[in-house]
Amino acid sequence: FGSSLGPGRLPSTFGSHRQEGTPSSQLEAAYWTSSMSSSSKRVLIIAVVLLSAASVEANRPCVPKGDPKLVSKLDALACDAPESEVPASHLMQVNSRVLQRTTRESKSAGSKPLNNSDDGMKGKTVSPAEGKDHLHSIGRFLGFTQDFWILMVVCISGCVVCAFATIASVAFATASRIAFFRQMVFTEEGRIQKPVLERSFIQRMFRYDLNPLFAIRSDMASRVAVVCAVLALPYYVESLAFINEHGFTTQYAVVIICFTVYQDLGTTLSLAWYNFAGTVLPVLNALFMYGMYPEGSTDGGEWSAAWWFGMVDFLIVIILLMVMKWPVGIRMFAVSWQAYFSMCFLNPGDTTHYSPGITNILLEGAAVGPLVGTVIGCVLSVVPLCLWPLGTTLCALGQAQELAVEVAWSEGNLWKHMIKNYTGKERSVIVDKLLGECLANKHRLDALAGCLGANSWWECFDLGRTARIRAHLIESSKKLVFMHDWLRSAVRTMFDEEFEDHHDELMGLVAPQLTKLCDHTSRLLYRTTLAAAEGGVAPLGSTDPDVLSKDVDAVMEAQAELAAAFLSARRKVYGSNSVTTDSISEHFFVTALSLYGQYATQFAEYMLENKTTTQQSGILASLWTGTMDMMAFTGWGFTLRSSIGFFLAFFVGYHGLADIITPYNGTPAGTTAYLMASDGAAGSAIMKNIARFQGTAGGSLLGQLIWGTVVWCSVWGTIGGVASMLIFEYFAMFLYFSSANFGYVGVLLGAYGAEHLMISCQSGDDSTSNVYSVMQEQMLAIVAVTIGDLLIGNTSPGVAAAQTFFSMTETIQQGLQDFFCLNRTQEVLLVGDGDIKRKSSNKSYYSFAAIKDVEFHRDSILGDYSMAKFIGHEAPLEPRWYRTAWRETLWNSVISNAFGAGSALSVMEYAVWEGASKGLARRSMIVSSTMEATAKRLTDRASKVFLLAQKMLTHENEMALPISAAVTDKMMGESSLKISDEDAKLIIEEVMGTLEAPDRLGALAEDDACQLAVVIQMLRNTMANVNDIQDKLFCQPELLAAKGNRRVKSA
């Protein structure tokens, strides 16, 4: 973000100089610094800045459990991510110009030099003549200047410090949580104890007990604020001003910190790497350019060989950055800095000194200083999250440990209360509470998945014990998600239960066995999840393999007891060895609990093998994969749209704009680098552009206002400056971490506010004049990007969301067709035994040809659902112009019901897969004529409803919906989808008539009747979802208007 902090200014003074007339007492206080040699002073400063961040007190374990943060934004704050890839709104990369120069000639003769007012951003650079003299006098080793070797040490040590601090602190944090969990697994009575970890002093100070989310965000914001306040000292304490006289500034380090720290340690480290890599690339190119032409275009002027060389180099680099699929952060930094470096090279009047080639590096060179500042900023972003006095490591992997253990405990606790309610005599209001807790656990599972993404990889690099913890927790997350799908469906079944006499009698007979299985399964799941959080089973404590093996045996024994008790109770209550129309929900409930135990057993057996099935990726493998991914083409839409905005801003900045923008100003072009909108993100792009202006203008004005009020050339002024910096950065970063709509504004407030707060007391008059120019340059960049968006239209988020929704519903329909083999051309061959007059068919009546095994569609449905939700959030932000507003209410209803239908399909698929009858139950369902007719009726209606929903969502005016009258009239005349008791009875007779009743079962999941009950119940749920979508559609005025117009015409 260099240029955003020194907008429109070029660097002859990248740093803060001591003012003439400095009081002698201050000069005496700084005597020891002035007596040091230049090179020694540089080494000392860099060492002090890098090492001081690491000399803090070791952290203590931190675990948030039972907090809404896990339900909502620990999803976002502690874990989200990312990622996948990190969202562009979280990578507000630093604009490329922190450097400035005090004088710059315009192309026209006689132009006046431009005053440099941003003293805080000036790192001390040298003129070309001074640079040449310095190169002749500086020491060399192996043909490279000593500054080259200092730079290498800084870059390498910065990377090593960040990596080592991250790995070590995460290892310590995860080990601390393990030790804590081992101490509080069970109560004295042998019951599972709810995991509640002790919070750090800082989070307790921010009242974690009252608002966990506020405490965690405040913890992170306060760390950033303290570091920024310390880095502001060279601007308020004259004896420390020498720190900014070596090519870099602490002010730029603050900017890097603001745009690097986010959510958790892994995300912060990944952003630090992007910031560093995105700065290194243009710096290397600048060294190459000035190595070929040390004076740039200064000697030959415009159209000279040097000028053409710089222009060709600029075009090649920018085109490669636009065309290739670079990570968002690298592209933003690289494009922004390259705009600045190339503008300096192409400027015939440029007086900035750049190091002429990699062998002649000077730290005071204009390209090298920002690189050093970036390294310092990255180190000081990562280390505070690793180690902090009275705080803990804020890592995603540690949060994943906490979340997994809490979800395991919550699932068992929910089943306990569900059994107590379902075996009661009547429906209780506690069902509504259970539904709320179920949704809360769903949010925790989403947060857990976010914690185990790329962010946790950055925290361990898939090395050592932490890599095993991550691998086991990923497997744990998968099992917990399957369990939760069944639990959520069971809660919905409880809502439909009428608690009749047969239900009360049946549940009363099996209640003890249900409770026993629940208790043993909860204990087993809790122990295995603890083992996953520890990185594997251990021969001591609650995760001892012998203890786990005994728990597995106990669960299997409880499964057999429940199966025997249920079969006996079914015969006693219903007089049948099969499911009946009155007992479908009861069969589903006990099957869900049985599969809860089965999944826990499978996970325990996996942990006892002590092997990881998740493929791990080391640093080199990930680097190679990432490099190959970057070779892909980013797409014509993004390339053309972004290129138009960037080159338009560069053209205006090169030539200047009347009295608004001076010539050779690279800031507008550099700013467009982080306003580029990806395909389908037109909505957030507009909001981000507006937020950028709010953040830059607000930060500049607030910074100037606070500086002018509290910063004076006195001790109290110094105290006021540091205190105001601390408080301002805390509130700005807290806004960044906590607000979904104004987070971007918060980070820009922090960056631009720091620019105008970190100014020495003698420099305020010059800095005040820059505030208005900042606004002008940012607005110019916004206008340029908007023109590119208008000329090359971005994909409408509304259209993209509807298309993703339709892809999701097509997967659901295809899944239903595959499950029931509705395409009978090849999948099913029915051959009778010749006695076609047989009134009742048995198992031997049919011989089955090859039927494909059940296929799983859950991952595909979840992928489309996540993408549709993400794009759907963009749609309301999109400027619709002449189009009607996005139908947000309809969208939320449609997407949630479609997801419900997809979840029901997944439950059916896994019910059949986990059964032990080798697919005979499913084959019998396939040949059931009533089941076939029911499935076809569902898929036909779903196809029409889903297609109508897509048309309605993409209908962007208030005219009647253009749709066939026959289609809508037919849909309006059809009754709601449902499986009547008569149809259910026929299905049961046709399916169970071909299957043999079991004598005994190891688990109810193996019972054919239970599998059939699950399928019927999930079909009913899917039908309810489709009916709800249809009802919502026919409430839309456009569809009603279309129907009304047709009636008028027919009349």
Side-chain angles (χ1 to χ4, degrees):
F1 291 120
S3 65
S4 58
L5 297 184
R9 316 166 199 71
L10 297 171
S12 69
T13 53
F14 179 62
S16 178
H17 302 286
R18 190 173 318 166
Q19 301 296 315
E20 295 198 12
T22 301
S24 60
S25 60
Q26 296 180 3
L27 294 176
E28 291 170 1
Y31 170 77
W32 68 276
T33 59
S34 62
S35 63
M36 297 174 63
S37 65
S38 175
S39 60
S40 300
K41 190 183 299 183
R42 284 194 292 266
V43 175
L44 174 63
I45 294 166
I46 294 170
V48 169
V49 172
L50 290 178
L51 297 180
S52 62
S55 58
V56 292
E57 184 175 328
N59 63 311
R60 296 190 326 223
C62 143
V63 187
K65 277 301 136 266
D67 43 294
K69 133 192 148 311
L70 307 173
V71 177
S72 58
K73 195 95 184 211
L74 183 57
D75 317 39
L77 173 62
C79 322
D80 180 298
E83 132 119 122
S84 54
E85 108 181 44
V86 181
S89 62
H90 299 159
L91 296 174
M92 319 297 143
Q93 310 313 349
V94 209
N95 186 351
S96 63
R97 275 210 288 167
V98 193
L99 307 177
Q100 286 183 299
R101 56 182 180 165
T102 48
T103 57
R104 176 177 57 193
E105 298 176 3
S106 67
K107 294 169 59 178
S108 58
S111 61
K112 296 181 179 180
L114 181 68
N115 286 333
N116 179 13
S117 59
D118 208 356
D119 193 44
M121 288 306 298
K122 308 168 190 173
K124 183 178 180 181
T125 60
V126 294
S127 66
E130 293 173 332
K132 292 179 181 178
D133 294 339
H134 196 175
L135 279 176
H136 290 302
S137 61
I138 196 171
R140 289 179 176 269
F141 178 70
L142 297 179
F144 295 87
T145 63
Q146 66 180 26
D147 282 4
F148 167 84
W149 295 109
I150 293 175
L151 180 63
M152 291 298 100
V153 169
V154 169
C155 293
I156 295 174
S157 62
C159 294
V160 171
V161 167
C162 288
F164 177 77
T166 298
I167 293 174
S169 62
V170 171
F172 177 78
T174 53
S176 300
R177 287 169 170 83
I178 292 169
F180 192 90
F181 284 133
R182 286 177 176 174
Q183 297 173 2
M184 51 171 298
V185 176
F186 299 104
T187 63
E188 295 180 357
E189 295 79 14
R191 297 180 180 177
I192 301 175
Q193 191 172 7
K194 183 177 181 180
V196 179
L197 299 183
E198 183 181 358
R199 311 312 306 180
S200 67
F201 172 80
I202 296 177
Q203 293 183 9
R204 293 200 307 271
M205 182 182 68
F206 285 112
R207 297 307 303 271
Y208 181 90
D209 56 327
L210 298 180
N211 190 334
L213 192 56
F214 168 78
I216 293 173
R217 290 168 175 167
S218 294
D219 185 2
M220 184 174 291
S222 63
R223 299 186 190 199
V224 176
V226 170
V227 172
C228 292
V230 171
L231 291 176
L233 288 174
Y235 296 90
Y236 305 134
V237 180
E238 189 66 25
S239 60
L240 298 178
F242 71 94
I243 292 177
N244 288 324
E245 296 180 354
H246 299 272
F248 62 88
T249 66
T250 56
Q251 188 187 82
Y252 182 57
V254 168
V255 178
I256 292 293
I257 291 171
C258 289
F259 288 102
T260 302
V261 177
Y262 190 71
Q263 287 193 340
D264 52 60
L265 181 55
T267 303
T268 299
L269 185 60
S270 67
L271 292 179
W273 169 250
Y274 293 147
N275 296 355
F276 175 72
T279 304
V280 166
L281 293 176
V283 167
L284 291 176
N285 187 58
L287 293 174
F288 167 70
M289 291 191 300
Y290 282 94
M292 298 295 294
Y293 292 92
E295 303 298 331
S297 301
T298 304
D299 291 341
E302 278 190 312
W303 318 113
S304 63
W307 188 92
W308 280 110
F309 170 80
M311 181 60 70
V312 171
D313 175 271
F314 167 69
L315 293 174
I316 292 174
V317 171
I318 295 299
I319 290 174
L320 288 176
L321 290 172
M322 296 292 188
V323 170
M324 295 172 62
K325 189 172 283 187
W326 298 86
V328 177
I330 293 179
R331 179 190 287 120
M332 288 180 176
F333 267 84
V335 170
S336 185
W337 276 115
Q338 190 59 49
Y340 165 68
F341 293 150
S342 293
M343 192 69 80
C344 289
F345 189 89
L346 298 174
N347 180 8
D350 183 65
T351 59
T352 308
H353 174 69
Y354 282 83
S355 301
I358 197 169
T359 60
N360 298 312
I361 284 180
L362 293 177
L363 289 181
E364 290 83 357
V368 177
L371 181 57
V372 176
T374 298
V375 173
I376 295 173
C378 290
V379 171
L380 295 180
S381 298
V382 172
V383 172
L385 270 62
C386 297
L387 305 170
W388 195 252
L390 304 178
T392 58
T393 302
L394 302 178
C395 58
L397 194 56
Q399 297 292 347
Q401 289 177 298
E402 303 169 18
L403 285 165
V405 172
E406 183 176 4
V407 169
W409 180 86
S410 299
E411 292 284 299
N413 192 56
L414 278 169
W415 271 115
K416 177 182 176 181
H417 288 92
M418 288 167 59
I419 291 172
K420 182 179 179 180
N421 179 267
Y422 199 65
T423 56
K425 299 299 183 181
E426 59 183 6
R427 185 179 182 274
S428 171
V429 292
I430 196 176
V431 177
D432 299 296
K433 181 176 183 294
L434 292 174
L435 179 60
E437 293 179 359
C438 181
L439 294 175
N441 236 21
K442 175 64 170 61
H443 288 301
R444 294 187 185 102
L445 283 169
D446 293 340
L448 177 60
C451 288
L452 296 173
N455 50 355
S456 60
W457 181 91
W458 280 96
E459 293 176 354
C460 65
F461 302 106
D462 271 353
L463 301 173
R465 183 181 187 181
T466 50
R468 293 196 304 273
I469 292 175
R470 179 173 181 266
H472 288 319
L473 286 177
I474 289 174
E475 189 66 26
S476 171
S477 175
K478 295 176 182 178
K479 291 298 182 184
L480 289 171
V481 166
F482 294 152
M483 294 178 183
H484 186 77
D485 285 346
W486 284 95
L487 183 143
R488 190 171 63 249
S489 299
V491 172
R492 181 169 180 176
T493 301
M494 293 174 62
F495 270 93
D496 300 331
E497 184 57 57
E498 297 178 357
F499 290 88
E500 297 176 341
D501 293 340
H502 288 306
H503 165 84
D504 296 342
E505 184 178 359
L506 178 65
M507 289 295 101
L509 292 172
V510 298
Q513 289 77 17
L514 290 171
T515 302
K516 181 178 180 180
L517 178 58
C518 176
D519 290 343
H520 285 298
T521 301
S522 300
R523 185 177 294 107
L524 175 62
L525 178 62
Y526 196 58
R527 289 187 193 275
T528 51
T529 305
L530 285 177
E534 294 179 10
V537 294
L540 297 174
S542 60
T543 61
D544 189 309
D546 294 335
V547 176
L548 286 179
S549 297
K550 292 179 180 178
D551 281 348
V552 170
D553 294 338
V555 170
M556 295 179 69
E557 181 182 347
Q559 289 268 34
E561 291 181 9
L562 174 61
F566 186 78
L567 294 180
S568 175
R570 182 172 64 187
R571 286 191 294 268
K572 180 179 180 180
V573 175
Y574 296 99
S576 171
N577 287 324
S578 176
V579 62
T580 65
T581 56
D582 295 333
S583 63
I584 291 175
S585 60
E586 289 81 1
H587 278 73
F588 180 86
F589 187 87
V590 296
T591 304
L593 179 63
S594 177
L595 281 168
Y596 170 58
Q598 191 163 314
Y599 283 128
T601 302
Q602 292 173 358
F603 184 48
E605 291 172 346
Y606 158 81
M607 291 302 302
L608 287 170
E609 292 178 359
N610 213 18
K611 297 179 181 179
T612 58
T613 58
T614 303
Q615 184 177 1
Q616 297 180 339
S617 177
I619 298 176
L620 295 180
S622 299
L623 180 62
W624 173 256
T625 302
T627 303
M628 292 298 100
D629 291 342
M630 288 191 302
M631 299 301 173
F633 179 49
T634 192
W636 284 112
F638 172 82
T639 300
L640 294 176
R641 185 169 55 251
S642 301
S643 298
I644 290 174
F646 174 81
F647 285 115
L648 177 61
F650 189 87
F651 178 82
V652 174
Y654 182 85
H655 292 283
L657 189 63
D659 295 329
I660 300 175
I661 302 295
T662 57
Y664 305 108
N665 188 334
T667 298
T671 301
T672 64
Y674 51 100
L675 297 178
M676 298 174 182
S678 58
D679 290 332
S684 64
I686 295 294
M687 297 301 295
K688 190 169 70 172
N689 293 348
I690 297 173
R692 171 163 184 80
F693 187 73
Q694 292 175 326
T696 54
S700 300
L701 291 172
L702 282 174
Q704 272 293 301
L705 180 63
I706 296 173
W707 184 92
T709 304
V710 302
V711 178
W712 311 295
C713 294
S714 66
V715 174
W716 291 110
T718 299
I719 296 174
V722 174
S724 60
M725 184 72 179
L726 178 70
I727 297 172
F728 182 84
E729 289 299 323
Y730 166 78
F731 283 107
M733 298 309 294
F734 181 82
L735 179 63
Y736 176 40
F737 298 144
S738 60
S739 175
N741 295 324
F742 298 101
Y744 190 24
V745 176
V747 72
L748 290 173
L749 285 174
Y752 277 82
E755 175 189 359
H756 294 277
L757 269 173
M758 296 174 69
I759 302 172
S760 61
C761 64
Q762 299 94 343
S763 305
D765 294 338
D766 289 337
S767 180
T768 304
S769 61
N770 290 327
V771 176
Y772 187 61
S773 64
V774 169
M775 301 181 191
Q776 291 177 320
E777 290 160 344
Q778 302 305 312
M779 182 54 68
L780 176 59
I782 293 172
V783 170
V785 170
T786 303
I787 291 175
D789 290 341
L790 292 175
L791 293 178
I792 307 296
N794 202 341
T795 304
S796 168
V799 174
Q803 291 173 346
T804 307
F805 161 78
F806 193 66
S807 173
M808 173 182 170
T809 56
E810 282 187 320
T811 303
I812 295 172
Q813 295 174 72
Q814 186 62 48
L816 291 171
Q817 291 180 359
D818 292 342
F819 186 88
F820 293 105
C821 289
L822 297 182
N823 182 4
R824 298 297 173 93
T825 56
Q826 295 179 351
E827 287 87 347
V828 181
L829 175 63
L830 304 181
V831 181
D833 65 356
D835 188 3
I836 60 175
K837 296 181 179 180
R838 185 190 301 270
K839 294 182 179 180
S840 62
S841 52
N842 55 29
K843 182 177 180 180
S844 64
Y845 180 74
Y846 296 109
S847 63
F848 296 91
I851 297 178
K852 292 190 298 184
D853 289 336
V854 63
E855 298 179 3
F856 301 113
H857 298 82
R858 187 180 188 282
D859 291 342
S860 177
I861 292 172
L862 276 181
D864 285 339
Y865 173 73
S866 299
M867 181 60 67
K869 288 285 287 183
F870 174 76
I871 302 175
H873 287 308
E874 291 276 338
L877 306 176
E878 177 188 15
R880 307 283 289 185
W881 305 114
Y882 61 89
R883 300 176 293 168
T884 54
W886 170 248
R887 295 176 173 85
E888 190 170 4
T889 302
L890 175 64
W891 166 255
N892 291 332
S893 175
V894 163
I895 194 64
S896 62
N897 278 289
F899 177 70
S903 297
L905 172 64
S906 301
V907 168
M908 286 193 299
E909 293 171 343
Y910 281 102
V912 172
W913 178 261
E914 298 293 347
S917 59
K918 302 185 183 302
L920 292 180
R922 174 173 170 248
R923 295 187 179 203
S924 298
M925 296 179 211
I926 289 171
V927 300
S928 167
S929 58
T930 308
M931 179 68 83
E932 179 187 3
T934 300
K936 283 185 176 180
R937 189 168 73 252
L938 170 60
T939 54
D940 290 344
R941 179 75 63 85
S943 177
K944 292 183 288 187
V945 170
F946 291 151
L947 181 60
L948 183 61
Q950 185 192 25
K951 288 184 175 294
M952 181 62 69
L953 290 169
T954 53
H955 184 63
E956 298 179 328
N957 58 64
E958 296 184 358
M959 301 292 291
L961 185 69
I963 190 173
S964 169
V967 173
T968 54
D969 289 342
K970 182 179 179 180
M971 292 180 67
M972 289 288 290
E974 292 175 338
S975 60
S976 297
L977 285 171
K978 67 177 182 178
I979 299 179
S980 65
D981 289 342
E982 294 181 0
D983 289 341
K985 182 178 180 180
L986 287 174
I987 292 173
I988 293 171
E989 291 176 352
E990 293 170 359
V991 174
M992 299 307 299
T994 62
L995 299 172
E996 297 176 352
D999 295 329
R1000 56 176 299 183
L1001 295 170
L1004 284 175
E1006 302 171 2
D1007 183 35
D1008 295 330
C1010 286
Q1011 293 182 38
L1012 176 59
V1014 168
V1015 172
I1016 294 176
Q1017 185 67 33
M1018 291 299 97
L1019 284 176
R1020 283 175 168 172
N1021 290 354
T1022 304
M1023 289 178 174
N1025 292 129
V1026 174
N1027 290 336
D1028 192 47
I1029 294 176
Q1030 183 172 342
D1031 292 342
K1032 293 294 190 299
L1033 288 173
F1034 281 94
C1035 289
Q1036 300 301 308
E1038 293 82 359
L1039 192 56
L1040 296 176
K1043 190 173 184 298
N1045 287 343
R1046 288 191 294 272
R1047 287 179 176 176
V1048 171
K1049 291 179 180 179
S1050 62

